[in-house]
Amino acid sequence: ACAALRNLAASNNDNRTRICRDGGISSIVNAMRQHDDQKHVQEVACSALGNLCLQNEDNRVAILSAGAVPRIMLALMTHTEVAGVQEKGCRALYNLSVSPENVKAIREEEPETVLWDAASKFPNECGDWSRRLLEKL
């Protein structure tokens, strides 16, 4: 289900709005919660959340309200050796940080070490996302 939502949200803002309105964000966060140890679920869920943030302030607010930031951080801390999780998690946090209020919430999770580790382990996948987010923090 997360993969379908990721694909629907990739390039269509109307779909992003519908997904949020119809409970898709909470479904994604719940999938992350129920499958902490499943790297594929975490990667696809982070990717879906990152896509849902694009050009949609209401979704960024809803994603924060749904408790996604701690879930993304847990995915990053749990799957430290999985490039896809690291890349999609860093990208999702960066996309969330477009909203100033979300920067505060991300900062409260103390992500600096996790972001630096991701950037050093996977510079091609995570370097830019991590550095750009760290500049905002």
Side-chain angles (χ1 to χ4, degrees):
C2 289
L5 294 175
R6 174 199 60 197
N7 294 343
L8 287 168
S11 60
N12 186 310
N13 203 41
D14 289 337
N15 284 347
R16 293 180 198 119
T17 299
R18 284 186 201 105
I19 290 166
C20 180
R21 181 191 65 219
D22 294 342
I25 291 171
S26 61
S27 294
I28 294 166
V29 174
N30 286 335
M32 294 178 82
R33 185 175 293 111
Q34 293 171 2
H35 303 284
D36 284 335
D37 61 336
Q38 299 295 314
K39 62 187 175 186
H40 180 70
V41 172
Q42 299 302 311
E43 179 179 346
V44 174
C46 286
S47 183
L49 292 170
N51 287 350
L52 286 163
C53 291
L54 298 172
Q55 302 173 344
N56 198 310
E57 178 65 22
D58 291 341
N59 281 6
R60 288 189 289 272
V61 170
I63 290 167
L64 179 67
S65 295
V69 172
R71 301 312 309 174
I72 296 168
M73 287 297 300
L74 182 60
L76 290 169
M77 292 184 290
T78 302
H79 302 285
T80 58
E81 301 301 320
V82 183
V85 173
Q86 297 298 304
E87 176 185 10
K88 303 306 189 285
C90 290
R91 177 181 167 267
L93 290 175
Y94 176 79
N95 288 350
L96 278 166
S97 77
V98 171
S99 301
E101 186 62 31
N102 289 354
V103 172
K104 179 181 175 188
I106 294 167
R107 190 179 296 127
E108 289 172 1
E109 293 293 321
E110 300 178 354
E112 292 82 2
T113 300
V114 171
L115 294 171
W116 282 116
D117 287 349
S120 68
K121 283 183 187 173
F122 306 105
N124 294 331
E125 295 88 348
C126 304
D128 287 342
W129 298 118
S130 294
R131 279 190 285 284
R132 290 165 60 190
L133 179 54
L134 286 163
E135 288 171 7
K136 290 183 174 201
L137 302 177

